[in-house]
Amino acid sequence: MIDPSSEEGLRAAGFEGFVSVGALRESGLDPVPERRGVYLLLAEASAEPPRFLPVSPAGGGLAATESPIDLEERWVPGAVVLYVGRADGKATLRSRIGQFLDFGRGMRVGHRDGRAVWQIPRSAGFVICWQAISGKSAWGRRRAVLE
């Protein structure tokens, strides 16, 4: 079982990276492997929901925007993992994380999942970690993380 409540628990489960969104953008994704796997977007735990931006900066602008009131109502107190993504088939962790970050910067790319996280101010400080997999589907590993 994976303990997603701490970096130590995630490292013990085989996750690595733990690089901020801002640092990944600056590095051109250098530390991210060209392998299949799962990745997590992490934030510091907070009992209070963040103040969500009224319009998302993500690709699609208004089309990517969700109601801040709805987002506040769905906020899970103490949430650390904000998004669980996967890279499967021909996609690699580097390509999927790159699309995810590009979408968050306003580019129209083939990655709309997790769009609500970009309505949280200071998203460049969020941390991304990943776990490369081999010989099995990233779907199964993603499901294990979510359970």
Side-chain angles (χ1 to χ4, degrees):
M1 184 151 148
I2 297 172
D3 174 13
S5 65
S6 70
E7 182 176 327
E8 294 77 25
L10 291 167
R11 285 188 187 279
F15 283 85
E16 54 191 347
F18 300 91
V19 182
S20 75
V21 166
L24 282 175
R25 285 176 173 157
E26 289 174 13
S27 74
L29 302 173
D30 284 344
V32 183
E34 291 277 1
R35 297 188 51 204
R36 291 180 301 148
V38 295
Y39 58 97
L40 310 177
L41 181 72
L42 310 172
E44 290 185 29
S46 173
E48 295 296 318
R51 294 204 181 273
F52 292 95
L53 299 172
V55 177
S56 176
L62 288 175
T65 299
E66 295 190 38
S67 160
I69 294 169
D70 290 346
L71 294 174
E72 287 175 14
E73 289 174 357
R74 294 190 337 233
W75 183 257
V76 177
V80 173
V81 177
L82 300 181
Y83 177 72
V84 180
R86 66 176 177 79
D88 217 348
K90 294 181 181 179
T92 66
L93 286 164
R94 185 175 294 174
S95 68
R96 288 300 286 168
I97 291 172
Q99 287 176 337
F100 183 60
L101 298 182
D102 287 346
F103 182 75
R105 273 199 289 206
M107 298 179 182
R108 292 179 182 262
V109 296
H111 196 307
R112 291 183 44 88
D113 291 344
R115 62 187 167 273
V117 301
W118 303 115
Q119 280 182 249
I120 301 173
R122 299 178 305 280
S123 59
F126 293 156
V127 169
I128 293 183
C129 64
W130 55 84
Q131 183 180 58
I133 61 166
S134 58
K136 56 188 170 195
S137 167
W139 276 106
R141 189 63 180 149
R142 180 177 184 265
R143 190 175 315 113
V145 171
L146 291 170
E147 292 176 344

